[in-house]
Amino acid sequence: MKTYRITKKEIEGLKPVAVGYKMFNHDWTTKYGDYDYKDENGNVVGTIHKVDGKISECNWGLHFSEKPYDCFSFYESVQWNRYAKVEAYDELITGDYKCITNILKIVKTYTFDEFIRLVLEKLQNNDITGGEYIRGGNDI
């Protein structure tokens, strides 16, 4: 099984099945892998990535979070990490704090400060479900 970059033509006619956020190491690789999301020119915005094989949570696939603050469950909140908005295509598995897809497009990048502002904005707009981070807030 492998991960590789594909072209826009290969997702032509497909609509995103989810939109979310993904964090990366400072060099646009991921925490548990050596795949590099940059293209040959060092760009990531607009790149589209695909995995072959059967996707599975925590085992295989392109992982991301639907809510930006859930990304911090998997990466430290440090300024040298990279942050992006992504779209998922084709297959989708939705978990509690992360989703898994077989095709992922990077649509926008954020600086650390921009990402923190996005997180705060989502939290201030009551974008909280479940209430697991609020004392006594189960089932909010």
Side-chain angles (χ1 to χ4, degrees):
M1 295 190 293
K2 69 177 196 168
T3 306
Y4 50 96
R5 197 168 35 255
I6 62 174
T7 66
K8 287 181 186 178
K9 187 169 181 72
E10 294 177 75
I11 63 167
E12 199 170 278
L14 294 178
K15 293 192 184 308
V17 293
V19 175
Y21 304 89
K22 185 167 179 64
M23 287 176 67
F24 301 85
N25 295 324
H26 70 283
D27 59 356
W28 293 104
T29 60
T30 56
K31 194 172 189 177
Y32 300 109
D34 57 359
Y35 180 74
D36 192 339
Y37 283 78
K38 297 185 303 288
D39 67 13
E40 56 280 351
N41 298 314
N43 300 314
V44 293
V45 173
T47 59
I48 306 165
H49 311 273
K50 184 175 184 175
V51 295
D52 57 7
K54 182 175 172 58
I55 62 172
S56 170
E57 186 174 354
C58 296
N59 292 312
W60 183 244
L62 302 167
H63 293 67
F64 67 97
S65 297
E66 288 184 299
K67 297 175 181 137
Y69 45 84
D70 285 338
C71 293
F72 295 116
S73 298
F74 310 103
Y75 284 84
E76 293 180 89
S77 58
V78 292
Q79 294 161 326
W80 52 84
N81 280 341
R82 304 296 182 129
Y83 310 87
K85 183 175 187 177
V86 297
E87 294 175 341
Y89 291 84
D90 199 24
E91 298 177 40
L92 180 69
I93 298 172
T94 303
D96 289 337
Y97 304 103
K98 62 183 164 185
C99 299
I100 304 88
T101 187
N102 62 322
I103 300 175
L104 192 74
K105 179 180 180 181
I106 300 175
V107 296
K108 182 178 181 175
T109 59
Y110 300 94
T111 66
F112 177 77
D113 290 341
E114 290 169 336
F115 198 73
I116 294 300
R117 279 193 293 275
L118 176 67
V119 167
L120 293 173
E121 178 184 304
K122 294 286 187 183
L123 291 172
Q124 289 171 350
N125 288 333
N126 297 320
D127 186 25
I128 301 173
T129 57
E132 57 269 14
Y133 299 115
I134 302 171
R135 188 177 335 147
N138 291 334
D139 301 319
I140 291 178

